[in-house]
Amino acid sequence: MAATNTMGAPSAPPAAAAKASGPRVRRTLPPNAAAVAALLLTVAIWAGFALSARALSSSTLLPADAALLRFGLPLLILAPALWRRRRQLAAVRPAAALKIVCGAGVPFFLAAMYGGALTSAAFVGSLIPGMVPLFVSAIMVAHGRGAPRGTQAVGLVLIAAGAVALVGRHTVALDAGVLLGSGVLLVASGLWALYTVGLKEVGLDPVGSIGVLCLPSFAVLALLVLSGALPTGLADAAARDIALFAVVQGLGVGLAAGLLYAFAIRRLGAERASVTGSLSPVLVVLLAVWLLDEVPTLAVLAGVPLITAGVVLANRRPRQLRSLRRKVIADA
């Protein structure tokens, strides 16, 4: 060990000292930290959506009333911003717009509400977001992408096994209501997968994406209500229910989650963004026990962990691809 003379040695100039100590390391957040944070917030809001889908059956609101709040409030709040984007909205390709409108518009909303009324919050929180990676993978394969392999394929199998575990005992017992509700929730999940893919295709900013979704959805909904095809009881509903669904559906799901999820899709892509489904089922089950007094059944305790593990594995990237991505980021 060499001795150092600190008494007689002259002090180094500041510039020399800085040079000797090496380059300063600049600490920055990971490149996708904001997108991941947006996804985590989206999970929390989706949990509220799942709970409200179940709570709607015991409220004074009808599905059409909740849908009017869901699509109307974001339009009202974002009207000036959407007007400034009118040319971009008009230039969106019809095929991509249709995926968004069908995937998260009136068809999805009514399916989620109806399926939630027939099942439980745990089913809504597990089947809708949890099954999205399965449907997204199917869409990608249909568009010419290779079939999932390795851990991704194992993850998709676990997701399917989790869904079977959730619904299996109701099949044996021939519980027609729960089976119908589960089937409707699976339809809603497939529609949401279309929305996830469509968001990536339109190339709009988050505000524009909300406009593509809410403008046609509210117009269709208004026509259905005015024609009498969808009954409404908004005028006679309790003020407490209106306020609750306005906050959860309009401000939460319609505005906040719409902005956050669209931002995450643009940064992470459709496949990686669907990993949010791994957290949503667990959070919904815990909140349903606390807020709705739902007692998790054995099927829920078996199915939810399988779906959660499956979504995590289905969204894992091969090691070589992750290494290549880190190198690209480092060289950028």
Side-chain angles (χ1 to χ4, degrees), residues 39 42-43 45-47 49-50 70-71 96 98-113 124-137 139-140 184-200 209-210 213 217 249 252-262 264-265 269-271 273-277 280:
L39 283 179
T42 303
V43 167
I45 296 171
W46 279 355
F49 170 80
R70 157 72 177 85
F71 299 111
L98 189 62
K99 290 178 182 177
I100 291 177
V101 174
C102 290
V106 176
F108 165 81
F109 187 86
L110 294 180
M113 293 295 112
V124 178
S126 300
L127 292 181
I128 292 182
M131 297 295 289
V132 166
L134 199 62
F135 288 112
V136 168
S137 296
I139 293 172
M140 294 300 181
V184 174
L185 291 177
L186 289 176
V187 171
S189 181
L191 291 172
W192 189 265
L194 276 180
Y195 170 63
T196 301
V197 174
L199 275 180
K200 188 66 177 176
S209 299
I210 288 182
L213 169 62
S217 297
Q249 293 287 351
V253 179
L255 187 61
L259 293 172
L260 293 169
Y261 194 63
I265 287 288
E271 290 172 296
S274 63
V275 75
T276 54
S280 182

Side-chain angles (χ1 to χ4, degrees), residues 6-311:
T6 59
M7 297 294 295
S11 59
K19 186 175 181 181
S21 62
R24 294 181 63 184
V25 178
R26 194 177 172 187
R27 300 193 177 205
T28 59
L29 291 173
N32 289 326
V36 172
L39 283 179
L40 293 177
L41 288 174
T42 303
V43 167
I45 296 171
W46 279 355
F49 170 80
L51 296 175
S52 67
R54 179 58 178 163
L56 181 64
S57 60
S58 59
S59 75
T60 57
L61 292 174
L62 296 176
D65 303 328
L68 287 170
L69 295 172
R70 157 72 177 85
F71 299 111
L73 274 179
L75 288 180
L76 183 63
I77 295 172
L78 297 177
L82 293 175
W83 175 254
R84 292 193 296 269
R85 291 166 172 79
R86 60 190 181 277
R87 290 188 177 85
Q88 293 96 312
L89 295 177
V92 173
R93 292 185 297 109
L98 189 62
K99 290 178 182 177
I100 291 177
V101 174
C102 290
V106 176
F108 165 81
F109 187 86
L110 294 180
M113 293 295 112
Y114 184 62
L118 292 175
T119 56
S120 68
F123 273 63
V124 178
S126 300
L127 292 181
I128 292 182
M131 297 295 289
V132 166
L134 199 62
F135 288 112
V136 168
S137 296
I139 293 172
M140 294 300 181
V141 170
H143 280 74
R145 296 277 296 273
R149 293 180 296 176
T151 56
Q152 292 180 329
V154 173
L156 296 180
V157 171
L158 287 178
I159 292 173
V164 171
L166 277 176
V167 183
R169 78 179 183 91
H170 301 286
T171 304
V172 175
L174 293 179
D175 191 333
V178 175
L179 289 178
L180 176 60
S182 300
V184 174
L185 291 177
L186 289 176
V187 171
S189 181
L191 291 172
W192 189 265
L194 276 180
Y195 170 63
T196 301
V197 174
L199 275 180
K200 188 66 177 176
E201 293 179 358
V202 294
L204 294 172
D205 66 355
V207 173
S209 299
I210 288 182
V212 171
L213 169 62
C214 290
L215 280 169
S217 297
F218 188 79
V220 169
L221 190 64
L223 288 175
L224 292 174
V225 169
L226 291 175
S227 65
L230 280 179
T232 178
L234 195 59
D236 301 321
R240 178 179 176 277
D241 290 339
I242 295 176
L244 175 63
F245 278 82
V247 171
V248 174
Q249 293 287 351
L251 299 180
V253 179
L255 187 61
L259 293 172
L260 293 169
Y261 194 63
F263 170 75
I265 287 288
R266 286 167 60 88
R267 288 291 186 91
L268 301 177
E271 290 172 296
R272 293 186 65 197
S274 63
V275 75
T276 54
S278 67
L279 300 175
S280 182
V282 176
L283 184 59
V284 169
V285 170
L286 294 176
L287 290 176
V289 172
W290 177 37
L291 297 175
L292 300 180
D293 295 325
E294 289 189 1
V295 179
T297 63
L298 184 60
V300 170
L301 294 176
V304 168
L306 283 173
I307 292 176
T308 300
V311 174

